[in-house]
Amino acid sequence: MYPTDLGKTISLANVGKKVTLSDDELDKVALYLVGDQRHFRENIIIPRMLGPVHIKTIEEKRIDTMMESCAFKSIMSCVIGYGLGAAIGLFSSSVNPNVASVERQQSAREILKEMKTTTLGYAKNFAVVGCIFSAVECTIESYRGKTDWKNGTYAGGVTGGLIGLRAGIKAGIVGAAGFAAFSTAIDYYMHRS
């Protein structure tokens, strides 16, 4: 019932005749009705939400993959923690001077040395906590395959336990419970607001 040439129509005189098609002609009909199986990247239709649509290049996808890795997240948390800890340490040392050295007049060199010691101490501690927490949370998230509040709670428990374990078992348990509760509260606050 199909004409051999797809551009022609069947006349009414040929309606009663039976038309047979060869395999090549059937392939042409199928390609005409279905289309070929090649899909071009430029023909992808992406709905617009906000602004123009941008399809990522291979290099952008590689950078996204690298930035989503646990190693990169841990290193960035370490660097940002170091900077935050240095800022808090500098503020803390300027507000709270050393009580032992208040009895006598300190020189500027001694004050700067004390500020440097306090600043570096805070910076190192924040860097270690940030690195451990980020690495543990990313590992737990990768293992579970979910992104929810439980990842932060588990990571807080492990991080608090590891940090508190330096002072003993009891301190490790208290540190794990405290850090897990703090992580849960922060996660709840960040996702609810």
Side-chain angles (χ1 to χ4, degrees), residues 107-120:
S107 67
R109 178 172 287 173
E110 290 173 344
I111 291 173
L112 290 175
K113 190 180 278 189
E114 177 188 331
M115 288 176 78
K116 178 184 173 187
T117 304
T118 305
T119 301
L120 288 178

Side-chain angles (χ1 to χ4, degrees), residues 24-76:
D24 291 335
E25 292 171 336
L26 284 173
D27 287 341
K28 287 179 184 178
V29 169
L31 284 175
Y32 179 77
L33 294 174
V34 177
D36 59 359
Q37 297 299 314
R38 292 179 289 161
H39 297 287
F40 297 103
R41 186 170 186 253
E42 290 76 24
N43 294 337
I44 297 173
I45 298 172
I46 300 175
R48 290 178 137 195
M49 299 299 272
L50 297 172
V53 175
H54 175 70
I55 299 175
K56 293 183 179 181
T57 62
I58 294 172
E59 291 82 15
E60 289 173 328
K61 290 178 184 178
R62 285 183 187 146
I63 290 173
D64 282 348
T65 302
M66 187 221 26
M67 291 181 81
E68 289 294 321
S69 69
C70 290
F72 182 80
K73 287 180 180 180
S74 299
I75 291 169
M76 283 306 299

Side-chain angles (χ1 to χ4, degrees), residues 1-168:
M1 302 15 162
Y2 294 105
T4 55
D5 184 10
L6 296 176
K8 296 180 182 177
T9 58
I10 299 176
S11 66
L12 293 175
N14 294 334
V15 171
K17 294 181 182 178
K18 189 171 188 179
V19 178
T20 57
L21 299 174
S22 66
D23 288 340
D24 291 335
E25 292 171 336
L26 284 173
D27 287 341
K28 287 179 184 178
V29 169
L31 284 175
Y32 179 77
L33 294 174
V34 177
D36 59 359
Q37 297 299 314
R38 292 179 289 161
H39 297 287
F40 297 103
R41 186 170 186 253
E42 290 76 24
N43 294 337
I44 297 173
I45 298 172
I46 300 175
R48 290 178 137 195
M49 299 299 272
L50 297 172
V53 175
H54 175 70
I55 299 175
K56 293 183 179 181
T57 62
I58 294 172
E59 291 82 15
E60 289 173 328
K61 290 178 184 178
R62 285 183 187 146
I63 290 173
D64 282 348
T65 302
M66 187 221 26
M67 291 181 81
E68 289 294 321
S69 69
C70 290
F72 182 80
K73 287 180 180 180
S74 299
I75 291 169
M76 283 306 299
S77 294
C78 185
V79 170
I80 292 171
Y82 189 87
L84 180 65
I88 291 174
L90 184 63
F91 176 76
S92 174
S93 66
S94 65
V95 172
N96 188 16
N98 191 355
V99 178
S101 60
V102 172
E103 298 170 357
R104 65 177 183 83
Q105 190 68 21
Q106 283 184 310
S107 67
R109 178 172 287 173
E110 290 173 344
I111 291 173
L112 290 175
K113 190 180 278 189
E114 177 188 331
M115 288 176 78
K116 178 184 173 187
T117 304
T118 305
T119 301
L120 288 178
Y122 273 86
K124 289 177 186 176
N125 287 336
F126 272 69
V128 167
V129 169
C131 184
I132 291 173
F133 181 82
S134 179
V136 171
E137 183 182 32
C138 186
T139 305
I140 290 172
E141 184 176 321
S142 297
Y143 177 75
R144 291 184 67 224
K146 295 180 183 178
T147 303
D148 58 1
W149 63 273
K150 292 179 184 178
N151 296 336
T153 303
Y154 296 150
V158 171
T159 304
L162 288 174
I163 292 171
L165 202 59
R166 294 185 297 180

